[in-house]
Amino acid sequence: MPEDTVIAVEHVDAGYDTPVLESVSFTVRKGEVFVILGGSGCGKSTLLKHIIGLNPPLGGEIRIMGDRIFGGAPAERERAMRRFGVTYQSGALFGSMTLLENVCLPLESFTDLPHDARYLVAEMKLEQVGLKEYASYFPSDLSGGMKKRAAIARAMALDPAILFLDEPSAGLDPVTSAGLDRLILRLRDTQGVTVVMVTHELASIFAVADRCIMLDKKTRSLIAEGSPARLRDCPPNAAVQAFFNREAETAPDPQRPASPSCPNLVSPKESL
Amino acid sequence: MTLTLPETCSSERVAAFWRQVMPDVARLGAGDTLTLDARSVTVCDGAGEALIVELYRRSAQQGFAVACQDPDKFVTRTLGLFDVARFTEDPSTVNPIRNTHTSEQLGQAVVHIYDDVCDQLAFLGETAVSAFSLLVRPGRLRLRDTMLHFERAGIDALPIVLLIGFLLGLILAFMSATSFRQFGVEVYVADLIAIGLFRELGPLITAIILAGRSGSAFAAEIGTMKVNEEIDALTTFDLPPITFLTLPRVIADTLVMPILSMFAILAGLFGGVLVLVSIGVPAVTYWQHVIAASSLGNIFFGLLKALVFGLLVGLVGCSHGLHTSRTADGVGRAATAAVVGSLVLITVSDGIFAVLSFILGI
C-alpha cells in the first residue's frame, strides 16, 4: 500500500442483506478531494456508511490509515473512528443546542480541554466556516447552506485527518453551493484535511474534485476512476458519458463503449 | 515569563498545559513580557491554535507584551488564520435564549399560551366546518383511511383494553369485597362493579388507553408529516389537511371508543365474577345483580361519555400534530402534549358529566 494512502477499500461487497455493490476496490490519497459518483440507488451512501463504520460490509476490508474499521480489535476501530469527521445530508445538527454547543459536543466527549478552551476552539471552528456571528443561534434559525457549514465545523472540531461529506450541495442554490465548494478547498489547503465526498452535482465535482470514482447500479461495480475532467473528456463507457453529458438515462450500458470514440484528450488541468 | 509550547500542540497535550499555565498568565499585567517559545513545535491542531489565540487575547486584555520565537511559523500561521480581535468575548456566555430575564420569560409564556389557545380554537372551527361540509359531500371522507384508523385504534387496542378492564374489575371486586364482607353484603359488590364500570371506570380507563396509544400516535404521525412537508404538499393540491388527515382519525376514534369501552366493561365484569365466586357468592346471583344494576340509563350514559372522550382524544392528538414545530424534538413534544392534553380534557369533561348527571338526575 502506498505511503500516502489514507483510505483503502479492498474488494468490498456493499449492502445490507444483498449486495448492491460487489468487489469494490479503491484508495484515497492524503490531502486530495475524492468524490464518489453515481446515479440514484447505485449504493454511494451505503458504501459511505460502511467506510465510516455505521454498517459492516458484506465482504472485503476497509482500512483508515492502516486501521481496520471492521474485523479488527476494538482499539483499532476506535483509532480509525477518531481520524475522521462526517457531515450528513441534512446536517444532523442537534436542534436543542446552539451552534456553539453543537460544535463543542465532540470536544466535550473526546478531549480533556478546560471549559473555556473548548468553547474557544468551537468558536474558532465556526469562524473558519464563517458562522462565528451565529454561534448562539439554534439550527432551526439557519438556512440550509448555513446548516451545512455548521455541520462541517462540528465535523472538524477534533481536527480529523479525513472529512466525509454526504451530498453537501443537496438542496442548495448554485451560489451557496459554490461557497461551500470554496470552504471545502480552503479546509483542504489550510488544514491539510483529506475530503471524501458523495455527490452528483456536476458543478461541485468540477470545482473541488481531484479524483473521483463512479459506481454503477446495473453492474453493481465500480466502472470508472480518474479526474473529473478526464472522465468527462475521455469517458471509458456509455454510462460515464451519459452522466457527464447529463443525458437522460435510458439505462446506459457501462459495458458499451462511449460514443463517439474517445478522442484521447488530455484536459488542461491534467497537463499542468 | 517564558512559555515553551509543547512539541505536540494537540488537544491531549494542550488540555494539561492550558490548566498549568493560564493561572500564571492571568497574573501578567502592563509592562510584563510573555516570551512564547514555539521552536520545538512540530504539530499544532485546533486546540493548539486556540491556545495561541487565547494568549494573544489575554495580552490585548491585560496589556502585557508577547515576544515570539517561532521559526516554523506555527504562531504566525494561526494569527494569519484568526483575527484575535474578533475573539474578545467569552463565547460560553453568548446565549440570548438562556439569558432572558424572568419577567421576559413570563411574558413569553403568556404569549405562548394565548397563541396556543388561538390555534386550538382555529383548529376546532376548521374541523367543525370540514365536518359539516362532509354532510353535504360525504364522498370527500377518505373511507379507507377511516377504516385503517378504526382498525389501528380499535382492533389493535383490544388485547390491552381487555387486560386492563379485566384487572380493573378484579381489583375493584377485591377491594370492595373486603369492606362489604364485614357487613355481610358482599353480594352487592356486583352492583358496585356494574354501576362503577358502566358509568365511570369503563369509559375512563378506555379513554386513558386510547390517549396513550392513538392520541400520541396521531400527533407523531401528523407531526412527522409536517416536518417532511407532506402537509404543505396536501395544501398545494387543495386537499385541506383537516379533511384529509384529521377527520378520518377523529371519526375513527369517536366511533371506536364506545365499542372498546363495552369490551373493557365486559372484561371487568368477568374479573369481578372470579373474585365473588372465590369468596362464596354464586355466579348466578352475581349476574342477576349485574343485570339489575345495568339500567339502560347507566349504559347510555357510559356510552355517551365514551363517545365524547373518543372525540376529545382524536381532536387533541390531531391538533398537536398539525401544530408541531419543524424540528426533531417538536414531534416528541407534540406526542407528549397530545397525551397530557387528552388526559386533562378527559378528566375535566368527566367532571362536567358528573355535575350534569347530578343536576338532571340521570
Side-chain angles (χ1 to χ4, degrees), chain B residues 285-338:
Chain B
T285 314
Y286 172 84
W287 288 115
Q288 278 172 347
H289 275 264
V290 166
I291 291 164
S294 311
S295 65
L296 270 182
N298 279 342
I299 294 172
F300 281 118
F301 188 67
L303 289 180
L304 178 69
K305 275 169 92 167
L307 207 73
V308 172
F309 291 166
L311 179 73
L312 288 174
V313 169
L315 283 173
V316 172
C318 293
S319 164
H320 281 288
L322 284 172
H323 294 113
T324 305
S325 60
R326 292 175 192 263
T327 54
D329 65 329
V331 178
R333 271 188 277 142
T336 309

Side-chain angles (χ1 to χ4, degrees), chain A residues 152-258:
Chain A
I152 291 176
R154 188 178 65 179
M156 291 296 296
L158 294 168
D159 295 286
I162 308 160
L163 182 62
F164 289 102
L165 305 168
D166 190 4
E167 307 268 8
S169 311
L172 300 183
D173 67 83
V175 177
T176 312
S177 181
L180 207 61
D181 293 340
R182 281 198 298 277
L183 171 66
I184 291 166
L185 289 177
R186 198 170 73 233
L187 287 175
R188 193 266 308 265
D189 296 339
T190 57
Q191 311 283 304
V193 65
T194 304
V195 180
V196 178
M197 230 163 98
V198 169
T199 186
H200 40 223
E201 298 282 334
L202 281 176
S204 275
I205 295 164
F206 284 108
V208 299
D210 295 310
R211 217 152 53 84
C212 49
I213 56 165
M214 187 160 173
L215 306 172
D216 181 63
K217 189 178 178 179
K218 199 173 175 184
T219 56
R220 295 194 288 190
S221 61
L222 191 156
I223 55 167
E225 185 171 354
S227 74
R230 184 169 182 81
L231 293 184
R232 178 195 59 198
D233 299 335
C234 189
N237 54 54
V240 177
Q241 189 178 40
F243 185 88
F244 279 94
N245 292 343
R246 296 166 63 95
E247 288 165 2
E249 263 194 57
T250 48
D253 187 355
Q255 276 146 8
R256 182 161 56 85

Side-chain angles (χ1 to χ4, degrees), chain B residues 68-253:
Chain B
C68 189
Q69 294 168 320
D70 181 30
D72 293 321
K73 307 284 181 200
F74 281 106
V75 177
T76 316
R77 181 180 158 276
T78 302
L79 296 178
L81 282 173
F82 301 100
D83 180 4
V84 177
R86 283 173 52 77
F87 294 89
T88 49
E89 240 182 308
D90 180 0
S92 59
T93 62
V94 182
N95 194 334
I97 306 293
R98 289 173 196 177
N99 287 346
T100 48
H101 194 267
T102 314
S103 58
E104 198 179 332
Q105 286 175 356
L106 193 69
Q108 281 173 350
V110 171
V111 170
H112 181 72
I113 291 169
Y114 174 76
D115 288 345
D116 200 33
V117 169
C118 289
D119 285 344
Q120 302 300 336
L121 285 176
F123 169 77
L124 211 58
E126 280 181 59
T127 310
V129 170
S130 297
F132 280 118
S133 73
L134 271 189
L135 295 176
V136 184
R137 294 167 65 188
R140 291 195 77 175
L141 177 69
R142 293 180 63 83
L143 203 60
R144 214 174 63 175
D145 281 2
T146 312
M147 295 312 291
L148 181 75
H149 293 302
F150 199 84
E151 185 189 330
R152 281 186 193 165
I155 297 166
D156 293 354
L158 206 54
I160 181 81
V161 166
L162 288 175
L163 178 71
I164 302 286
F166 177 77
L167 291 175
L168 191 71
L170 207 78
I171 294 162
L172 204 62
F174 257 125
M175 287 184 67
S176 47
T178 318
S179 307
F180 281 35
R181 212 174 184 182
Q182 290 172 2
F183 304 100
V185 289
E186 56 264 41
V187 73
Y188 287 106
V189 169
D191 298 64
L192 182 134
I193 292 173
I195 296 170
L197 284 176
F198 274 113
R199 284 183 69 101
E200 196 62 46
L201 291 172
L204 193 67
I205 201 73
T206 315
I208 291 170
I209 295 169
L210 197 77
R213 285 187 85 255
S214 306
S216 58
F218 290 171
E221 273 170 24
I222 299 177
T224 309
M225 289 177 81
K226 188 173 178 190
V227 173
N228 292 338
E229 296 175 328
E230 290 171 49
I231 307 273
D232 296 346
L234 281 178
T235 312
T236 55
F237 293 143
D238 199 23
L239 292 168
I242 301 277
T243 314
F244 199 82
L245 300 173
T246 304
L247 285 183
R249 287 171 169 82
V250 172
I251 290 171
D253 253 16

Side-chain angles (χ1 to χ4, degrees), chain A residues 31-175:
Chain A
E32 72 177 346
V33 178
F34 186 86
V35 173
I36 301 174
L37 294 174
S40 301
C42 73
K44 303 186 295 287
S45 294
T46 309
L47 182 62
L48 186 72
K49 280 179 182 162
H50 294 323
I51 298 173
I52 62 178
L54 290 181
N55 300 109
L58 299 173
E61 192 175 76
I62 297 165
R63 283 179 186 269
I64 307 278
M65 299 171 88
D67 291 317
R68 277 171 297 178
I69 285 269
F70 295 105
E76 197 177 346
R77 177 182 161 88
E78 198 180 315
R79 250 194 333 266
M81 299 288 278
R82 280 292 301 270
R83 290 188 172 127
F84 60 78
V86 187
T87 71
Y88 301 90
Q89 275 189 42
S90 60
L93 296 168
F94 302 111
S96 57
M97 297 177 182
T98 62
L99 291 197
L100 196 67
E101 289 166 339
N102 261 288
V103 181
C104 261
L105 196 65
L107 293 163
E108 272 175 40
S109 303
F110 291 108
T111 73
D112 190 31
L113 286 170
H115 177 266
D116 50 346
R118 280 201 307 267
Y119 274 87
L120 183 58
V121 173
E123 203 185 14
M124 286 163 65
K125 296 296 173 192
L126 285 174
E127 169 80 344
Q128 283 186 309
V129 298
L131 289 176
K132 184 182 170 297
E133 274 69 30
Y134 298 89
S136 60
Y137 282 54
F138 286 90
S140 55
D141 302 327
L142 303 179
S143 68
M146 289 160 104
K147 279 183 196 162
K148 295 274 169 76
R149 282 192 281 154
I152 291 176
R154 188 178 65 179
M156 291 296 296
L158 294 168
D159 295 286
I162 308 160
L163 182 62
F164 289 102
L165 305 168
D166 190 4
E167 307 268 8
S169 311
L172 300 183
D173 67 83
V175 177

